[in-house]
Amino acid sequence: MSTRNPITAPAGATALPGRHRNPLATAIRNVGIALDTAARVIFLGRDGVRY
């Protein structure tokens, strides 16, 4: 017997139903990502950012 996963998005691409991140935690995470990117540009130059 096999079960099929109805979710078609890649794993980790979307939050699970009923799973909501605290808005403050989301804001802090986004600020951290922005600061990390800025630090890479400052210290490593444009070659340090590979997106």
Side-chain angles (χ1 to χ4, degrees):
M1 177 177 174
S2 65
T3 58
R4 298 187 70 175
N5 187 354
I7 299 173
T8 58
T14 57
L16 293 174
R19 167 89 166 97
H20 298 287
R21 186 183 294 264
N22 183 340
L24 180 60
T26 301
I28 291 171
R29 181 175 184 270
N30 289 339
V31 169
I33 291 170
L35 290 175
D36 177 64
T37 303
R40 288 172 188 260
V41 171
I42 290 169
F43 293 114
L44 301 175
R46 290 184 56 86
D47 292 336
V49 182
R50 298 181 185 193
Y51 294 109

